[in-house]
């Protein structure tokens, strides 16, 4: 197996995990009000958390795209 293909598979697995984490956190319908009295899952679901998570997902999609282009241009 080509080295680029190994990286592509790794990044796809990480992307699936991040999308699943985003899905779980959005499914819980966590509220941002009364932040100090919320449980640990709710505290993790702030705007910053969603911004970082979606940023990582977007970066991984771009990285997978560039690795695929490198793979097909060889």
């Amino acid at each position: 197996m080509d080295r680029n293909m190994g990286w592509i598979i790794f990044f796809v697995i990480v992307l699936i995990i991040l999308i699943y984490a985003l899905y779980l956190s959005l499914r819980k319908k966590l509220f941002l009000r009364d932040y100090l009295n919320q449980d640990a899952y709710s505290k993790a679901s702030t705007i910053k958390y969603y911004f970082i998570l979606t940023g990582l997902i977007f970066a991984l999609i771009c990285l997978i795209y560039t690795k695929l282009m490198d793979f097909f241009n060889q």
Side-chain angles (χ1 to χ4, degrees):
M1 182 165 34
D2 190 70
R3 185 174 181 191
N4 278 336
M5 188 55 105
W7 281 110
I8 292 169
I9 292 171
F10 173 73
F11 290 137
V12 167
I13 291 171
V14 172
L15 180 65
I16 291 170
I17 291 170
L18 287 176
I19 290 173
Y20 185 68
L22 181 64
Y23 169 74
L24 284 180
S25 62
L26 287 175
R27 194 177 109 204
K28 292 228 178 228
K29 296 179 183 176
L30 303 172
F31 301 109
L32 298 177
R33 286 186 242 138
D34 201 17
Y35 180 77
L36 296 176
N37 293 330
Q38 292 180 351
D39 62 346
Y41 292 114
S42 297
K43 286 183 181 179
S45 69
T46 60
I47 302 254
K48 183 178 176 184
Y49 169 75
Y50 288 120
F51 180 74
I52 290 172
L53 197 57
T54 54
L56 284 173
I57 290 171
F58 181 72
L60 273 173
I61 290 171
C62 292
L63 190 62
I64 290 169
Y65 176 76
T66 58
K67 290 290 184 185
L68 281 173
M69 289 299 114
D70 289 344
F71 179 73
F72 287 119
N73 285 333
Q74 287 182 351

